[in-house]
């Protein structure tokens, strides 16, 4: 593990731990999720250490008190920008869930390939547990992720295919018709 990635791992562990964040459904320490996303990013043939660092950090702006400026100071502009692309831009005042998710989707459609690859890895990490533990929410989540996957065409092809396969499998399990 590179020095940059190790620093990102330690930083993310401390940031999520400081707010007592636990993984939904399993109640494991939240850092289990960024660890999984970072591992999945390494399946990409074009991953970089900056992408792995950003994968570890991908939820810190959204879920903790960490700012983009702090990430620039600690990890540099490239990593901070990747994390910023992965942070939801919508806020509750933007409207209902459908409107907010559309705003986030439009933002991610403009993201660079590296950020899209990390987002695809995030989808791969999240989908199985949501389908397993929260069928009701999965029926909302899966169509949203299908729409998102349709705009993540700059991301790694292998990971995109893996994510699409998981969505297709989830749609089958949940008896959802794909559009």
């Amino acid at each position: 593990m590179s020095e940059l990635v190790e620093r990102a791992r330690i930083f993310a562990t401390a940031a999520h731990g400081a707010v007592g964040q636990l993984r939904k459904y399993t109640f494991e320490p939240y850092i289990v999720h960024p660890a999984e996303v970072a591992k999945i990013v390494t399946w990409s043939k074009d991953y970089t250490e900056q992408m792995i660092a950003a994968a570890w950090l991908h939820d810190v702006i959204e879920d903790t008190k960490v700012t983009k400026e702090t990430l620039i100071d600690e990890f540099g502009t490239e990593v901070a920008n990747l994390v910023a692309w992965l942070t939801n831009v919508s806020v509750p005042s933007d409207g209902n869930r459908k409107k907010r998710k559309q705003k986030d989707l439009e933002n991610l459609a403009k993201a660079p390939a590296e950020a899209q690859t990390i987002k695809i890895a995030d989808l791969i990490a999240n989908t199985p547990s949501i389908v397993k533990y929260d069928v009701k929410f999965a029926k909302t989540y899966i169509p949203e992720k299908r729409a998102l996957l349709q705009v993540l065409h700059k991301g790694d092809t292998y990971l995109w295919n893996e994510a699409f396969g998981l969505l297709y499998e989830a749609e089958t399990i949940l008896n959802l018709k794909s559009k």
Side-chain angles (χ1 to χ4, degrees):
M1 186 178 304
S2 76
E3 183 265 338
L4 174 69
V5 171
E6 179 63 9
R7 284 191 301 111
R9 183 190 68 76
I10 292 167
F11 186 95
T13 301
H16 290 294
V19 294
Q21 194 174 10
L22 298 175
R23 199 70 180 120
K24 195 173 186 177
Y25 312 122
T26 64
F27 306 104
E28 300 169 291
Y30 189 80
I31 199 63
V32 168
H33 172 64
E36 184 177 10
V37 174
K39 179 182 176 184
I40 293 167
V41 169
T42 67
W43 301 350
S44 167
K45 63 180 173 51
D46 297 321
Y47 78 88
T48 65
E49 72 174 2
Q50 290 78 14
M51 289 169 66
I52 304 301
W56 277 102
L57 298 163
H58 79 276
D59 281 334
V60 297
I61 295 174
E62 198 168 300
D63 294 344
T64 74
K65 295 179 190 244
V66 174
T67 64
K68 182 178 177 184
E69 292 71 27
T70 299
L71 293 181
I72 290 170
D73 292 344
E74 294 290 328
F75 303 101
T77 303
E78 183 178 353
V79 171
N81 284 342
L82 287 172
V83 175
W85 278 112
L86 298 164
T87 301
N88 286 339
V89 295
S90 66
V91 293
S93 62
D94 289 330
N96 64 24
R97 180 180 176 90
K98 185 175 181 178
K99 289 178 183 174
R100 291 190 317 270
K101 291 302 173 184
Q102 182 62 35
K103 185 173 183 177
D104 295 332
L105 178 146
E106 290 168 2
N107 181 64
L108 281 163
K110 297 180 251 178
E114 297 83 0
Q116 288 193 3
T117 294
I118 298 165
K119 185 60 181 179
I120 294 166
D122 187 38
L123 294 175
I124 292 168
N126 279 328
T127 299
S129 64
I130 290 170
V131 171
K132 180 177 180 179
Y133 294 111
D134 194 344
V135 171
K136 183 179 177 188
F137 176 63
K139 290 182 178 185
T140 299
Y141 173 87
I142 295 302
E144 290 172 350
K145 297 317 159 195
R146 175 176 275 280
L148 184 57
L149 201 53
Q150 290 173 352
V151 303
L152 297 177
H153 54 84
K154 292 181 268 184
D156 181 83
T157 304
Y158 173 77
L159 292 183
W160 190 95
N161 286 327
E162 288 292 312
F164 185 84
L166 284 172
L167 287 178
Y168 182 79
E169 183 180 310
E171 289 169 339
T172 302
I173 290 167
L174 300 169
N175 199 27
L176 296 173
K177 292 183 179 178
S178 59
K179 297 176 183 174

